[in-house]
Amino acid sequence: MWIESAILQDFRNYTQQRVDFSPHLNLILGDNGEGKTNLLEALFLLSTTRSHRTNQDKDLVRFGEQFYYVGCKVNKKNHTERIEVGYSLERRQKIAKLSGVPLARLSELIGVLNVVLFSPEDLELVKGSPGGRRRFLDIFLSQLRRGYVGELQQYNKVMAQRNDCLRLIQSRRFAEDVLCSWDEQYAKLAVSISNIRRQMMEDFAPQFQAFAQRISGRENLTVKYSESLAGMDEISLLRRLETLRPGEIVRGTTSLGPHRDDILFLIDGRQASLYASQGQQRTAVLALKLAELSYLQHATGEAPVLLLDDVFSELDEIRKEALVGVISGEVQSFVTGTRDTDLNLMQGTGNPMKRFVVEQGRVM
Ligand SMILES: Nc1ncnc2c1ncn2[C@@H]1O[C@H](COP(=O)(O)OP(=O)(O)OP(=O)(O)O)[C@@H](O)[C@H]1O
Ligand SMILES: [Mg+2]
C-alpha cells in the first residue's frame, strides 16, 4: 500500500498543507525544527490514531488554534481509501472517518494504513523499560489482527476494575469474595492476549534472527517473548490468583498478566538489555523494524509504509545498506534528513524519488 497524498490543517506547525507523494522514496529534507518529524507524526497518527511522541492530542493542535485535521488517501491493492482524523480542543473529542464515513470507534481505523516507524527514540528500545517493548508489540499486533486492540482495551479495563476492587477490599469497604466475579473475566482475557502474543512472537522470532544475521553476521541475536503467564490456562491462572490474593490486596495491584510481559533480546544467549553495546542495540532495533515490515507484508499481503525519521545519521554504512536494500524494493518510504545527512546511498536505489524541503511548517 502507499500514501498518495496527505492534508494537514493546524497540525503542529502546519497551517494548511497538501502534499502529493511518490509511491517509492520520499525524501523530506530541512533544517532542525522546521516540521519534518511533524509530517511523519501525522502519517503515523493516520495509521494508529495516535501520535508516537505524545499521548495528548492538545499538543498536536497548532498553538493558538482550536482543532487539528489530518487526512490522507491510501492506495491499496484493489482500491483506495480516504482516512481522516480530527480533534477539537474545546470538546476534547477526536473523530475519525474512513472514506467519508464517521467511525463509531477510533480503533476501527487501525489496520487500514499500516506503517512501520523507525525513529531515534527507538534506539532505546533494547535497554529501555519493558513498557516501550510492549507498546511495540501491541502496535505491531493491532496492525496485524483486527480485533486485537478491542480485546486489549477490554483487558485493561477489566484489570483497572479489578485493581479498584483490590483497593476497596484493602480498605475493608468490599468483602473479599467480590473479587471472584472479576477474576473470571480477567483470566479469560489475560490468557487470550498472552496466547495471541506468544503465537505471533514464535512466528516472528526466526525472521528477526535472519535480519539480524544479515545486518551483522558476528553475533547471534535472538528475540523471545517473556511471558508473565508462562503458558498457564484459565484454570491454572485462577488458582494462581487465589494464592497471590493476600499480597495483591496489600499492594492493590494485579501481579500476574500480559501487562507484565516483555520482549527479551538475547546476544549469544545473554540478555541484551544488560550487555548490548551501542552497535548491537542498533542492529537489534533495525532488525526488529525490518522484520516487522516483512512480517506485516507477508501476513497481510501488502507492504506497509516505512517511516524513517532521522535514522540515517545514526547508522553506519553496513546498517544503512541493509535499509537501502528494503527501500529499493516495493515499499513506499519516507526518509527525513537535514542538509548534512549523507543520503548518497539513496540516490543509487534506482527507484524514482521525490524530494521535499520543509521550512517552517511548509512543504516545498
Ligand atoms: N502544537 C504546535 N503548534 C505549533 N508549532 C508546534 C507545535 N508543536 C510543535 N511545534 C513546532 O514544530 C517544530 C518541530 O517540528 P519537528 O519536530 O517536525 O522538527 P524537525 O524538522 O523534525 O526537526 P529536527 O531535524 O530537529 O528533528 C518546532 O519548531 C516546534 O516549536
Ligand atoms: Mg525531527
Side-chain angles (χ1 to χ4, degrees):
M1 63 180 78
W2 64 282
I3 306 169
E4 287 182 20
S5 58
I7 292 176
L8 283 70
Q9 248 170 40
D10 293 325
F11 181 87
R12 293 287 197 187
N13 65 342
Y14 289 88
T15 311
Q16 169 96 352
Q17 182 71 53
R18 186 199 149 100
V19 202
D20 292 295
F21 298 116
S22 153
H24 303 289
L25 175 59
N26 295 278
L27 280 181
I28 322 271
L29 304 173
D31 292 332
N32 297 129
E34 301 285 357
K36 302 181 296 294
T37 303
N38 293 346
L39 180 59
L40 296 199
E41 186 176 34
L43 301 180
F44 185 86
L45 182 130
L46 286 162
S47 166
T48 63
T49 78
R50 284 156 161 253
S51 154
H52 65 289
R53 297 202 278 192
T54 174
N55 286 325
Q56 309 235 312
D57 282 285
K58 68 170 170 56
D59 300 343
L60 304 175
V61 178
R62 199 162 72 86
F63 301 146
E65 295 302 326
Q66 285 306 309
F67 50 76
Y68 74 70
Y69 167 90
V70 284
C72 73
K73 197 164 154 196
V74 186
N75 189 305
K76 302 185 77 159
K77 227 190 251 155
N78 304 313
H79 63 295
T80 57
E81 215 129 34
R82 261 185 312 123
I83 304 176
E84 297 167 279
V85 176
Y87 173 79
S88 154
L89 203 60
E90 193 189 18
R91 275 181 268 154
R92 294 192 185 187
Q93 192 186 27
K94 185 154 64 168
I95 49 170
K97 282 187 190 169
L98 194 53
S99 295
V101 181
L103 299 176
R105 286 185 198 162
L106 282 171
S107 59
E108 289 171 41
L109 205 63
I110 301 171
V112 177
L113 164 64
N114 283 346
V115 301
V116 170
L117 167 72
F118 186 8
S119 67
E121 296 92 73
D122 288 320
L123 296 168
E124 303 290 312
L125 211 56
V126 174
K127 288 209 170 172
S129 70
R133 292 185 289 274
R134 279 194 294 271
R135 194 175 125 82
F136 163 80
L137 197 58
D138 287 333
I139 293 175
F140 187 2
L141 269 165
S142 60
Q143 304 203 65
L144 207 54
R145 294 176 61 121
R146 295 230 137 211
Y148 178 77
V149 187
E151 203 167 338
L152 189 67
Q153 283 170 346
Q154 186 67 19
Y155 169 78
N156 287 326
K157 203 169 103 190
V158 170
M159 183 178 61
Q161 281 162 337
R162 187 176 186 273
N163 289 343
D164 285 344
C165 186
L166 284 167
R167 279 175 220 126
L168 288 166
I169 295 170
Q170 183 193 57
S171 59
R172 297 184 195 285
R173 276 177 285 170
F174 267 7
E176 214 178 301
D177 53 2
V178 183
L179 201 57
C180 301
S181 62
W182 288 116
D183 277 3
E184 268 174 39
Q185 272 193 66
Y186 176 75
K188 195 161 175 247
L189 286 160
V191 168
S192 169
I193 300 273
S194 288
N195 286 344
I196 294 170
R197 286 183 180 171
R198 183 189 327 112
Q199 274 161 23
M200 195 279 283
M201 284 301 288
E202 274 171 12
D203 233 29
F204 175 73
Q207 301 198 22
F208 168 82
Q209 193 174 5
F211 272 102
Q213 187 73 33
R214 224 195 284 171
I215 300 164
S216 154
R218 262 169 298 163
E219 54 278 288
N220 185 25
L221 209 64
T222 50
V223 70
K224 216 175 102 188
Y225 176 44
S226 158
E227 191 187 346
S228 163
L229 299 190
M232 278 184 225
D233 62 11
E234 268 175 67
I235 300 184
S236 47
L237 174 56
L238 280 170
R239 234 180 266 140
R240 211 43 228 292
L241 286 174
E242 243 172 73
T243 51
L244 291 170
R245 186 168 300 169
E248 285 194 324
I249 291 172
V250 171
R251 284 187 303 273
T253 55
T254 299
S255 52
L256 209 58
H259 61 291
R260 290 287 175 90
D261 289 348
D262 200 354
I263 300 176
L264 283 185
F265 292 94
L266 302 169
I267 299 171
D268 293 329
R270 282 192 199 92
Q271 216 172 305
S273 59
L274 304 176
Y275 303 109
S277 71
Q278 286 284 346
Q280 288 166 332
Q281 290 179 62
R282 271 151 215 237
T283 300
V285 177
L286 183 56
L288 191 72
K289 300 287 172 173
L290 296 181
E292 180 190 13
L293 187 124
S294 147
Y295 193 97
L296 278 169
Q297 177 165 9
H298 289 109
T300 66
E302 282 199 82
V305 173
L306 182 61
L307 308 175
L308 297 174
D309 193 13
D310 259 348
V311 286
F312 266 78
S313 46
E314 303 275 345
L315 299 173
D316 61 21
E317 292 305 313
I318 297 168
R319 296 188 188 97
K320 270 186 205 163
E321 272 169 32
L323 257 185
V324 170
V326 172
I327 294 171
S328 319
E330 285 300 286
V331 176
Q332 185 189 30
S333 44
F334 294 81
V335 179
T336 69
T338 56
R339 232 187 280 268
D340 310 322
T341 316
D342 174 19
L343 295 164
N344 281 333
L345 266 171
M346 299 283 187
Q347 327 280 347
T349 60
N351 271 334
M353 63 166 157
K354 258 181 141 170
R355 292 169 81 95
F356 301 94
V357 176
V358 180
E359 243 179 75
Q360 294 182 22
R362 294 246 289 278
V363 180
M364 284 167 279

